[in-house]
Structure formats: C-alpha cells, structure tokens
C-alpha cells in the first residue's frame, strides 16, 4: 500500500543519514537538556494530511498489520462507518528502499 509522510528538509536529511524512517523525537527536560524519546513515525493515506506536517513529502510503500499484539503499527482496518484511518503510527523502522521523495 502507499502512504505519505510530511517532514522538513532538516529531518529528511537526518532520515537519510540514519537510513530509515523511524521518527526522531527530541524532548526537553525542565532543566533544558534534551533526550531522544520513544521512536515511531506517522503515516497517512491522504497526501493532503502529510502536507500539513512539512514541505518534504515522502511516499512510503508499507503493508500495515494493525493492532495485533506485535506492536508493529496501529493501522485501523475497520474504522466506524463514514470514517477513515487518516493517520496511524508505525513502531518499526522503514528502510529507504521503501521511501520515495515526491515533493
């Protein structure tokens, strides 16, 4: 399946340097020091949603598994009637071979 991820030029450079799309969350402690938080990334089936999160738009080839107890992603296969799974989290790294920059 094809999904999208919006990001910044700076974060796209970090993704390329690391070789995977896997979120890179930096948080600040009350004393001003920083730490890397729990890692995951958001994907969306809607390109317009991805555009809200950055000027760099990535097209991702990914097969979701949903909430199955393995903690791979939380894709909603059966949303309530009239709703869609507009965004979901992926808790494993996605290799650059599955990623294409489209904007």
């Amino acid at each position: 399946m094809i999904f999208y991820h919006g990001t910044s030029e700076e974060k796209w450079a970090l993704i390329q340097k690391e070789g995977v799309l896997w979120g890179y969350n930096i948080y600040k402690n009350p004393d001003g020091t920083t730490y890397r938080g729990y890692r995951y990334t958001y994907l969306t089936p809607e390109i317009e949603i991805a555009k809200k999160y950055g000027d760099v738009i990535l097209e991702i080839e990914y097969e979701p598994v949903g909430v199955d107890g393995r903690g791979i992603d939380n894709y909603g296969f059966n949303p309530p009637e009239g709703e869609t799974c507009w965004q979901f989290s992926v808790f494993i790294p996605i290799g650059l071979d599955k990623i294409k920059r489209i904007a």
Side-chain angles (χ1 to χ4, degrees), residues 81-93:
E81 188 174 332
E83 295 184 22
T84 63
C85 181
W86 63 274
Q87 181 173 280
F88 65 102
S89 300
V90 178
F91 305 104
I92 59 170

Side-chain angles (χ1 to χ4, degrees), residues 27-41:
Y27 299 99
K28 285 191 178 185
N29 290 311
D31 66 2
T33 60
T34 60
Y35 66 96
R36 186 186 325 200
Y38 182 68
R39 296 184 79 184
Y40 59 92
T41 195

Side-chain angles (χ1 to χ4, degrees), residues 18-85:
E18 188 171 21
V20 295
L21 175 61
W22 168 295
Y24 196 84
N25 300 315
I26 300 296
Y27 299 99
K28 285 191 178 185
N29 290 311
D31 66 2
T33 60
T34 60
Y35 66 96
R36 186 186 325 200
Y38 182 68
R39 296 184 79 184
Y40 59 92
T41 195
Y42 289 111
L43 297 182
T44 177
E46 301 175 26
I47 196 168
E48 293 304 318
I49 299 293
K51 289 179 179 178
K52 293 179 181 182
Y53 293 94
D55 294 330
V56 174
I57 304 301
L58 306 177
E59 183 179 270
I60 315 296
E61 182 183 327
Y62 180 76
E63 290 300 322
V65 298
V67 180
D68 68 351
R70 294 184 290 164
I72 294 173
D73 66 54
N74 64 357
Y75 183 79
F77 281 102
N78 299 306
E81 188 174 332
E83 295 184 22
T84 63
C85 181

